[in-house]
């Protein structure tokens, strides 16, 4: 569509994939060339968002908490479930980026995504989506049927979120919390152990807090630029106080669920011989939630709090400490 404009101009400026049109310009001089900075491989790695795959490590959580009741086979199936969910997540990200092209191009950071910036052709993304779905199904065939069902529900939830649920305020955050909890469910169905509804309830409140934190951070950034709006979202800057109150209270609710779990001793003594160590995790959890919300209020939080945690040294220490206290709780 740019060719007629270029041919009527005194000069053409070629950017990214526009280099391939140079021979079709005729006598129009090229006054500037801006080739893309990374190759197709790097662009695909960013489009598939491999850096988001660590979120799917939640599938290992039920196997880890099962302790000695989890066998080698359970760990092997958890690896396959992790790969299946990761491939499905990448397919969902591609679909989301293809749907959000116009909105992403207006965003200060999302405009650099491969499809929005033109680093990858949109047609290639359309072809890649069914290919990823086939790979996910093949991985799911090596898992219990329930795992494949969870993967299907996860994909449907991701698509529903991308198409319309992300535009419904509050419901979008609840759906994100459900999608995170489904990752834990994917690990639970691998084993024949009873479901821990304490864990699932805790997960819903905890990830609801983080989903609202993400929305709060995006909205706060918009509030600093009056000429911008949060496209394809149902929030306005008037919702900042509401997101702050609901998000922080959801985090506290997750901590309360954790306290009730410990007080009611809803765990097997064959797993935790010294459960008093688990109380220290409550302190770590309260501190981490308070810290990320404080950083968000001050404008120092990354848009995705989980990605922030993967890069934050304090979060690393807190996570390592939680694992240490779980191991101490298991020790006799």
């Amino acid at each position: 569509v740019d060719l007629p404009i270029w041919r009527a101009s005194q000069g053409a400026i070629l950017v990214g994939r526009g280099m391939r049109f140079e021979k079709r310009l005729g006598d129009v001089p090229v006054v500037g060339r801006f080739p893309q900075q990374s190759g197709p491989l790097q662009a695909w790695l960013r489009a598939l968002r491999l850096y988001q795959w660590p979120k799917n490590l939640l599938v290992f959580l039920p196997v880890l908490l099962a302790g000695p009741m989890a066998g080698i086979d359970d760990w092997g199936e958890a690896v396959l479930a992790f790969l299946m969910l990761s491939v499905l997540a990448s397919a969902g990200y591609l679909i989301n980026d293809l749907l959000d092209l116009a909105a992403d191009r207006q965003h200060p950071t999302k405009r650099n995504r491969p499809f929005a910036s033109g680093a990858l052709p949109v047609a290639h993304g359309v072809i890649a989506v069914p290919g990823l779905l086939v790979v996910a199904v093949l991985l799911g065939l090596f898992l219990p049927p329930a795992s494949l069902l969870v993967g299907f529900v996860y994909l449907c939830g991701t698509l529903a979120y991308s198409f319309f649920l992300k535009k419904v305020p509050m419901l979008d955050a609840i759906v994100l919390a459900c999608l995170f909890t489904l990752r834990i469910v994917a690990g639970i169905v691998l084993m024949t152990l009873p479901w821990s509804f304490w864990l699932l309830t805790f997960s819903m409140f905890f990830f609801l807090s983080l989903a609202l934190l993400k929305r709060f951070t995006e909205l706060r950034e918009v509030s600093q630029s009056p000429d911008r709006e949060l496209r394809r979202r149902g929030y306005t800057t008037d919702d900042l106080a509401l997101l702050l109150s609901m998000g922080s209270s959801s985090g506290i609710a997750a901590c309360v669920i954790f306290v009730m779990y410990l007080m009611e001793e809803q765990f097997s003594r064959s797993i935790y011989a010294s459960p008093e160590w688990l109380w220290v995790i409550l302190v770590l959890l309260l501190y981490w939630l308070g810290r990320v919300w404080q950083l968000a209020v001050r404008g120092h939080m990354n848009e995705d709090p989980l990605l922030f945690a993967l890069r934050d040294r304090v979060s690393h220490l807190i996570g390592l400490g939680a694992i240490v206290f779980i191991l101490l709780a298991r020790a006799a």
Side-chain angles (χ1 to χ4, degrees):
V1 294
D2 290 331
L3 285 173
I5 300 175
W6 279 330
R7 289 167 181 160
S9 303
Q10 295 181 353
I13 299 175
L14 304 181
V15 182
R17 297 182 62 251
M19 301 294 175
R20 61 197 175 102
F21 295 109
E22 184 168 357
K23 294 181 179 179
R24 300 173 61 183
L25 291 177
D27 297 331
V28 179
V30 177
V31 298
R33 293 179 178 84
F34 296 88
Q36 59 191 56
Q37 299 300 316
S38 59
L41 177 59
Q42 291 82 357
W44 272 111
L45 292 178
R46 289 191 294 118
L48 296 174
R49 300 193 203 178
L50 299 188
Y51 60 88
Q52 298 275 11
W53 282 23
K55 294 178 180 180
N56 297 313
L57 291 174
L58 287 170
V59 73
F60 291 98
L61 185 59
V63 185
L64 175 65
L65 295 178
M69 291 187 286
I72 298 297
D73 293 341
D74 295 320
W75 285 100
E77 289 183 341
V79 172
L80 292 177
F82 166 78
L83 293 174
M84 179 187 71
L85 289 179
S86 297
V87 173
L88 286 174
S90 291
Y93 289 133
L94 290 184
I95 295 172
N96 180 77
D97 287 354
L98 293 174
L99 292 174
D100 275 358
L101 277 176
D104 286 350
R105 286 168 179 163
Q106 302 296 322
H107 195 275
T109 58
K110 294 180 181 179
R111 65 185 179 185
N112 296 318
R113 288 176 174 175
F115 294 113
S117 65
L120 289 176
V122 173
H124 291 186
V126 175
I127 296 172
V129 169
L132 291 173
L133 296 180
V134 170
V135 172
V137 171
L138 292 176
L139 290 169
L141 294 177
F142 294 95
L143 296 170
S147 294
L148 200 55
L149 177 61
V150 171
F152 176 75
V153 173
Y154 174 80
L155 177 62
C156 291
T158 301
L159 294 178
Y161 175 81
S162 296
F163 277 102
F164 55 89
L165 293 180
K166 68 190 303 180
K167 293 181 284 187
V168 183
M170 295 300 167
L171 182 59
D172 64 330
I174 295 174
V175 171
L176 285 178
C178 290
L179 291 175
F180 276 107
T181 304
L182 271 176
R183 292 171 166 98
I184 297 177
V185 173
I188 293 177
V189 299
L190 297 176
M191 300 176 291
T192 57
L193 300 176
W195 286 42
S196 174
F197 291 99
W198 290 93
L199 176 61
L200 297 179
T201 306
F202 168 84
S203 172
M204 278 298 301
F205 280 109
F206 179 77
F207 289 111
L208 177 60
S209 178
L210 297 189
L212 292 170
L213 174 62
K214 182 177 181 179
R215 290 291 174 265
F216 176 86
T217 304
E218 292 175 340
L219 201 58
R220 187 186 183 283
E221 183 182 352
V222 170
S223 69
Q224 307 300 315
S225 304
D227 57 326
R228 288 182 49 228
E229 61 177 348
L230 197 59
R231 297 176 65 88
R232 291 204 72 194
R233 298 292 192 269
Y235 297 97
T236 68
T237 53
D238 294 332
D239 298 323
L240 278 170
L242 176 62
L243 291 172
L244 175 60
S245 60
M246 282 200 64
S248 56
S249 60
S250 296
I252 296 299
C255 295
V256 171
I257 295 296
F258 189 73
V259 169
M260 294 174 61
Y261 170 76
L262 295 179
M263 294 183 65
E264 296 291 334
E265 295 190 356
Q266 298 293 324
F267 45 79
S268 172
R269 284 288 176 172
S270 62
I271 300 178
Y272 299 114
S274 306
E276 58 273 7
W277 288 107
L278 297 176
W279 285 93
V280 185
I281 298 178
L282 172 64
V283 178
L284 297 178
L285 181 63
L286 282 168
Y287 171 70
W288 187 81
L289 284 171
R291 181 172 180 268
V292 294
W293 273 104
Q294 183 184 53
L295 290 174
V297 170
R298 294 179 176 180
H300 302 311
M301 172 58 62
N302 185 289
E303 283 193 0
D304 192 325
L306 289 178
L307 291 181
F308 166 82
L310 292 174
R311 302 165 183 164
D312 179 48
R313 290 184 179 180
V314 175
S315 299
H316 297 167
L317 292 175
I318 292 175
L320 179 62
I323 294 175
V324 168
F325 288 115
I326 289 176
L327 296 177
L328 288 173
R330 287 183 182 174

